């Protein structure tokens, strides 16, 4: 598996990336919001490819790990690379959950639950607006202009 630079964006890079976000993307990625169920653009996406962080472009999940959880959000049973996701205990809204954020830029992605299918039995339940999608064989996004693995095909 290719190596990706997990160094956080500089303050200037982050400001430039955040300037390109829509209001919905800003609410979810930066303010830990949640999009409404059954409306996300990637819920029914069946194309082969890679789901990346909408803010910094880090690959997060492969289409081969996507499954229909029936919950209304895109769901995956395993990340692209475990080091690309950071898990944080979330006690908001009177619940105890595990929030998932991008390991590189810290953007809120969704939550992970222990009720997924084999082999991991995990359900990574994500917000579509937190993601971008790159079709198989297409170049991965490289908004931080780091080159290397970021510049290669998915």
């Amino acid at each position: 598996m290719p190596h990706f630079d997990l160094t956080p964006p500089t303050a200037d890079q982050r400001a430039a990336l955040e300037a390109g976000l829509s209001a919905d993307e800003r609410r979810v990625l930066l303010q830990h919001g949640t999009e409404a169920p059954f409306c996300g653009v990637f819920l029914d996406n069946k194309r082969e490819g890679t789901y990346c962080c909408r803010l910094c472009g880090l690959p997060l999940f492969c289409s081969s790990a996507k499954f229909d959880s029936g919950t209304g959000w895109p769901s995956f049973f395993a990340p692209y690379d475990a080091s690309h996701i950071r898990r944080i205990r979330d006690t908001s809204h009177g619940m105890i959950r595990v929030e998932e954020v991008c390991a590189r830029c810290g953007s809120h992605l969704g939550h992970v639950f222990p009720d997924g299918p084999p082999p991991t039995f995990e359900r990574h339940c994500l917000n579509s607006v937190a993601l971008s999608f790159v079709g198989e064989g297409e170049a991965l996004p490289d908004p931080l202009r780091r080159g290397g693995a970021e510049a290669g095909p998915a």
Side-chain angles (χ1 to χ4, degrees):
M1 181 166 293
H3 173 74
F4 290 84
D5 183 350
L6 300 182
T7 306
T10 65
D12 287 346
Q13 288 173 322
R14 185 168 191 86
L17 294 173
E18 288 179 7
L21 295 177
S22 70
D24 253 6
E25 291 166 339
R26 188 174 290 281
R27 184 180 59 77
V28 171
L29 289 162
L30 307 180
Q31 299 162 359
H32 304 266
T34 301
E35 68 188 355
F38 300 103
C39 70
V41 67
F42 296 128
L43 179 62
D44 296 319
N45 184 27
K46 305 287 189 221
R47 292 180 57 210
E48 295 295 317
T50 305
Y51 294 85
C52 301
C53 175
R54 168 65 184 86
L55 188 68
C56 77
L58 186 67
L60 300 172
F61 294 91
C62 294
S63 59
S64 57
K66 192 170 188 264
F67 70 99
D68 183 359
S69 65
T71 61
W73 290 278
S75 298
F76 303 82
F77 60 80
Y80 179 95
D81 183 318
S83 69
H84 292 195
I85 304 286
R86 196 170 64 226
R87 298 173 185 220
I88 301 169
R89 181 179 164 93
D90 177 3
T91 57
S92 65
H93 308 291
M95 298 179 272
I96 297 174
R97 302 179 291 173
V98 178
E99 177 188 11
E100 291 190 304
V101 299
C102 175
R104 179 158 65 189
C105 70
S107 291
H108 173 74
L109 305 170
H111 291 84
V112 62
F113 301 94
D115 59 4
T120 64
F121 300 98
E122 291 184 332
R123 174 174 50 94
H124 299 261
C125 192
L126 306 179
N127 293 286
S128 284
V129 298
L131 306 171
S132 63
F133 179 78
V134 177
E136 191 171 333
E138 297 173 22
L140 292 168
D142 187 14
L144 299 175
R145 293 178 174 78
R146 294 193 173 165
E150 267 89 348

